[in-house]
Amino acid sequence: MPQFKPVVVITTAPNREEAERIGGLLLENRLAGCVQYETIRSQYVWDGELCNDEEIRIVIKTARCHYKAIEKTIVQSHSYDCPQILMQPVSRGFVPYLRWMREQLGL
């Protein structure tokens, strides 16, 4: 069984429907213990143009061992050509929460 190393993966989607579809896939496949959705405004340059869009930030609480499967799920399910997918390690956390998250992931 893989060692449990908690991480947070962050991505964005153009709308809540797509965000929740991606989050649902991750939860159904036990790749995430929890998924959160936030409405944000993103400003960036794409194809030489300045863009200013409303997006949904998806915060995925998971384990490092699931990163590759999460990345694959996001890329296959996403409408963006180049979605943001960032993984941040969790060095500390509330032990009962981390225990719950580990159980949700089947680790």
Side-chain angles (χ1 to χ4, degrees):
M1 187 174 298
Q3 185 180 6
F4 178 62
K5 294 182 181 175
V7 297
V8 174
V9 177
I10 300 171
T11 189
T12 57
N15 55 59
R16 186 159 299 266
E17 180 182 359
E18 185 168 314
E20 290 182 2
R21 184 170 40 80
I22 291 168
L25 287 169
L26 298 174
L27 291 164
E28 288 168 14
N29 290 298
R30 294 189 81 174
L31 296 173
C34 175
V35 180
Q36 297 172 317
Y37 310 97
E38 305 170 273
T39 302
I40 61 170
R41 175 138 312 268
S42 297
Q43 192 170 26
Y44 55 95
V45 175
W46 184 256
D47 287 336
E49 290 187 36
L50 182 61
C51 301
N52 190 342
D53 296 315
E54 188 170 282
E55 295 183 293
I56 304 299
R57 177 185 294 136
I58 309 168
V59 179
I60 304 154
K61 281 82 167 281
T62 189
R64 184 180 185 89
C65 62
H66 290 324
Y67 177 78
K68 287 190 183 290
I70 289 169
E71 181 181 276
K72 183 178 179 181
T73 300
I74 292 170
V75 169
Q76 289 177 341
S77 307
H78 214 292
S79 62
Y80 290 171
D81 294 334
C82 184
Q84 166 195 288
I85 308 172
L86 303 172
M87 182 183 72
Q88 300 173 324
V90 174
S91 59
R92 296 188 80 144
F94 184 53
V95 173
Y97 179 82
L98 294 176
R99 190 177 304 122
W100 171 85
M101 191 167 84
R102 183 179 192 163
E103 291 170 6
Q104 300 313 301
L105 296 169
L107 299 175

